Amino acid sequence: GTLQDIAATNGRMLDVILKRTLEVYQLPSNQTIVDYICSSPQVLHAIIDCGALLAGVDLPMLSVNLLSSLPEDDVDGILFFDNEVRDWVILERSGRQYPKDLSPVEEDRVFAIFDEPRCRGTDLKLRADAVAVLTLGPNLCKDKLLQGAGRLRKLERSQNLVMVGGADVFTKMHELQSRRRMKAMKHPRQECNPTSLVLAWLVNNTVDTTASGLNNWANQGLFHCTISEKDPKLAVTDEKVQLEDMYGTQFGRKSVIESFDNIVEYHMSRTGGRELLSDKMASLVESISLQIKSYGRDFKFNVHGCDEECERELELEIEEEEEMEKEIPSVKPRDETDWEFSEVFNVDDPTSLPAIVGVSTLRKFLIKYVSPRSLANIDWSE
């Protein structure tokens, strides 16, 4: 095909998702994606795990659990990718498991599991009216979600989506929504649509992810431009061995353009400056600079001079504390009863005090109030 054939593909796919999404659902803290699938009032036929909510889950075991929960008149088996045999397999209700091409169960009679690696480039012949759960995860970008939704080849005509994510995802969405409301109260109707909010969040993630990669792209480009047609030894960069070089740079926030200026200064200083660049390389440097100024002018990021290994060591972990507020039931205080305290001076031992005082022997106390009761078997002195 030509560029003309794929023009407006993004817009068309976003429009289809807006029209064919039945529900946007936030998982409560006590519910997993598997719980949702098993208890959903909507009959579901697939899960497309773009958000990696099934990461670390044993798919064969998950398939057994799902098969016992899904309606028998609608689902004859579970279709998933078995990493042990490196192939798609179908678990039948009889308990037998066969490769997809050898199983008597048709693909339009299965519940399909697209785990995260299979959310792109996988084609399965799902039923024409299939409803798929599409999961949302932190920092999910537009291209990944569009690829996942594309697993439903008839989404534009008769298939549908249900989007599901955790509280962390929806918190980010609502923060984005609040920021937009503070900036301008434009198009309020669009914000009321949950699917529109999801797509706005995806596009925002995509923009941020692209912007965060601009300096890395520029650094590699400038490295190439400043060493080409020069001494090959310049291709070896300086090794950081001093602690000050590794950790001494102050943390802060810089715009993409400010960081780019530092990158330019570093590469020019180590290779002799702009005057030593050929016309071709100087032109490429100028092109990189124009791209950075065009796309990076509105973005700022936390920066420091650490390499990737040091960055991992210095990564700040945000510790979330959960505080449980427990309401203590009201208790009626016991009424105190007065007694003749002077009796204390008229008795030989505490057990001779009036019964109203409530004095008991140690053995009786242990039998009544302390566990284990066998403690009372010890020959305690009275």
Side-chain angles (χ1 to χ4, degrees), residues 17-43:
I17 291 175
L18 277 170
K19 293 176 179 177
R20 306 302 300 186
T21 299
L22 302 178
E23 182 185 14
V24 176
Y25 180 80
Q26 177 179 340
L27 290 171
S29 58
N30 61 345
Q31 186 182 36
T32 67
I33 184 63
V34 180
D35 296 332
Y36 172 79
I37 294 172
C38 295
S39 62
S40 173
Q42 171 73 55
V43 178

Side-chain angles (χ1 to χ4, degrees), residues 1-2 59 75 99 103 135 175 215 243-245 312 322 340:
T2 63
L59 293 187
V75 175
S103 175
T135 64
E175 288 176 355
N215 278 331
L243 289 176
E244 184 177 355
D245 296 333
R312 287 193 294 270
E322 290 189 6
E340 293 294 333

Side-chain angles (χ1 to χ4, degrees), residues 213-366:
L214 285 174
N215 278 331
N216 188 42
W217 168 79
N219 183 54
Q220 294 177 355
L222 289 171
F223 178 77
H224 167 74
C225 293
T226 53
I227 67 169
S228 294
E229 305 169 3
K230 293 182 181 178
D231 187 349
K233 293 182 179 180
L234 292 174
V236 181
T237 58
D238 301 330
E239 184 179 3
K240 292 183 179 180
V241 294
Q242 300 297 323
L243 289 176
E244 184 177 355
D245 296 333
M246 294 180 182
Y247 302 100
T249 306
Q250 186 177 4
F251 283 79
R253 285 184 67 82
K254 284 186 178 180
S255 68
V256 170
I257 294 177
E258 288 175 319
S259 298
F260 174 71
D261 291 339
N262 294 337
I263 294 171
V264 172
E265 181 181 355
Y266 168 75
H267 285 290
M268 294 303 173
S269 62
R270 66 180 290 273
T271 57
R274 293 179 181 270
E275 57 273 11
L276 297 183
L277 297 176
S278 66
D279 292 342
K280 179 181 177 180
M281 292 302 134
S283 177
L284 281 176
V285 170
E286 184 63 25
S287 296
I288 292 172
S289 178
L290 290 175
Q291 292 281 62
I292 290 291
K293 291 176 181 178
S294 175
Y295 294 110
R297 62 179 181 273
D298 297 326
F299 298 96
K300 289 187 176 183
F301 296 97
N302 294 322
V303 295
H304 45 77
C306 304
D307 58 19
E308 290 185 6
E309 183 177 355
C310 297
E311 182 178 348
R312 287 193 294 270
E313 293 176 9
L314 291 175
E315 185 177 11
L316 301 177
E317 296 183 359
I318 300 176
E319 194 173 300
E320 297 183 358
E321 294 185 3
E322 290 189 6
E323 191 172 308
M324 181 179 294
E325 188 173 332
K326 189 173 182 180
E327 185 176 351
I328 300 175
S330 58
V331 178
K332 185 178 179 180
R334 180 180 176 183
D335 295 330
E336 293 187 10
T337 305
D338 294 332
W339 55 282
E340 293 294 333
F341 301 114
S342 59
E343 289 292 324
V344 172
F345 303 104
N346 300 326
V347 297
D348 296 327
D349 61 79
T351 58
S352 300
L353 287 169
I356 194 173
V357 180
V359 176
S360 67
T361 63
L362 181 57
R363 179 174 285 105
K364 290 180 180 179
F365 177 82
L366 292 174

Side-chain angles (χ1 to χ4, degrees), residues 48-332:
I48 304 169
D49 193 27
C50 296
L53 299 190
L54 293 179
V57 174
D58 186 321
L59 293 187
M61 183 61 67
L62 170 62
S63 301
V64 173
N65 295 334
L66 283 177
L67 198 55
S68 63
S69 303
L70 296 173
E72 293 186 15
D73 58 344
D74 205 61
V75 175
D76 292 336
I78 305 293
L79 174 60
F80 65 97
F81 189 86
D82 191 332
N83 285 306
E84 289 191 5
V85 299
R86 305 298 302 168
D87 197 5
W88 287 91
V89 297
I90 293 178
L91 175 66
E92 302 173 7
R93 287 201 176 271
S94 63
R96 298 178 304 179
Q97 180 174 300
Y98 290 110
K100 173 172 66 73
D101 297 332
L102 300 178
S103 175
V105 178
E106 298 294 335
E107 288 182 34
D108 60 358
R109 293 288 303 172
V110 302
F111 181 94
I113 301 176
F114 295 88
D115 55 335
E116 188 188 14
R118 256 58 63 177
C119 287
R120 184 187 297 264
T122 302
D123 286 321
L124 298 177
K125 298 176 182 177
L126 302 179
R127 66 190 71 199
D129 60 346
V131 179
V133 176
L134 191 149
T135 64
L136 307 174
N139 303 317
L140 182 65
C141 292
K142 174 177 63 65
D143 61 326
K144 191 172 183 179
L145 182 129
L146 295 187
Q147 284 290 334
R151 298 315 96 213
L152 296 181
R153 293 305 188 186
K154 297 180 180 178
L155 181 62
E156 190 173 6
R157 295 189 291 275
S158 56
Q159 295 173 331
N160 292 283
L161 289 171
V162 174
M163 296 188 187
V164 178
D168 54 345
V169 168
F170 282 84
T171 298
K172 295 294 184 183
M173 288 185 201
H174 295 313
E175 288 176 355
L176 174 63
Q177 186 181 35
S178 298
R179 290 198 301 269
R180 292 192 168 192
R181 281 177 175 169
M182 291 177 64
K183 289 182 179 179
M185 294 297 293
K186 296 180 180 179
H187 310 297
R189 293 181 182 178
Q190 293 183 3
E191 293 187 352
C192 294
N193 185 334
T195 309
S196 297
L197 180 59
V198 172
L199 295 181
W201 169 73
L202 287 168
V203 172
N204 187 74
N205 289 348
T206 305
V207 171
D208 286 345
T209 301
T210 303
S212 65
L214 285 174
N215 278 331
N216 188 42
W217 168 79
N219 183 54
Q220 294 177 355
L222 289 171
F223 178 77
H224 167 74
C225 293
T226 53
I227 67 169
S228 294
E229 305 169 3
K230 293 182 181 178
D231 187 349
K233 293 182 179 180
L234 292 174
V236 181
T237 58
D238 301 330
E239 184 179 3
K240 292 183 179 180
V241 294
Q242 300 297 323
L243 289 176
E244 184 177 355
D245 296 333
M246 294 180 182
Y247 302 100
T249 306
Q250 186 177 4
F251 283 79
R253 285 184 67 82
K254 284 186 178 180
S255 68
V256 170
I257 294 177
E258 288 175 319
S259 298
F260 174 71
D261 291 339
N262 294 337
I263 294 171
V264 172
E265 181 181 355
Y266 168 75
H267 285 290
M268 294 303 173
S269 62
R270 66 180 290 273
T271 57
R274 293 179 181 270
E275 57 273 11
L276 297 183
L277 297 176
S278 66
D279 292 342
K280 179 181 177 180
M281 292 302 134
S283 177
L284 281 176
V285 170
E286 184 63 25
S287 296
I288 292 172
S289 178
L290 290 175
Q291 292 281 62
I292 290 291
K293 291 176 181 178
S294 175
Y295 294 110
R297 62 179 181 273
D298 297 326
F299 298 96
K300 289 187 176 183
F301 296 97
N302 294 322
V303 295
H304 45 77
C306 304
D307 58 19
E308 290 185 6
E309 183 177 355
C310 297
E311 182 178 348
R312 287 193 294 270
E313 293 176 9
L314 291 175
E315 185 177 11
L316 301 177
E317 296 183 359
I318 300 176
E319 194 173 300
E320 297 183 358
E321 294 185 3
E322 290 189 6
E323 191 172 308
M324 181 179 294
E325 188 173 332
K326 189 173 182 180
E327 185 176 351
I328 300 175
S330 58
V331 178
K332 185 178 179 180

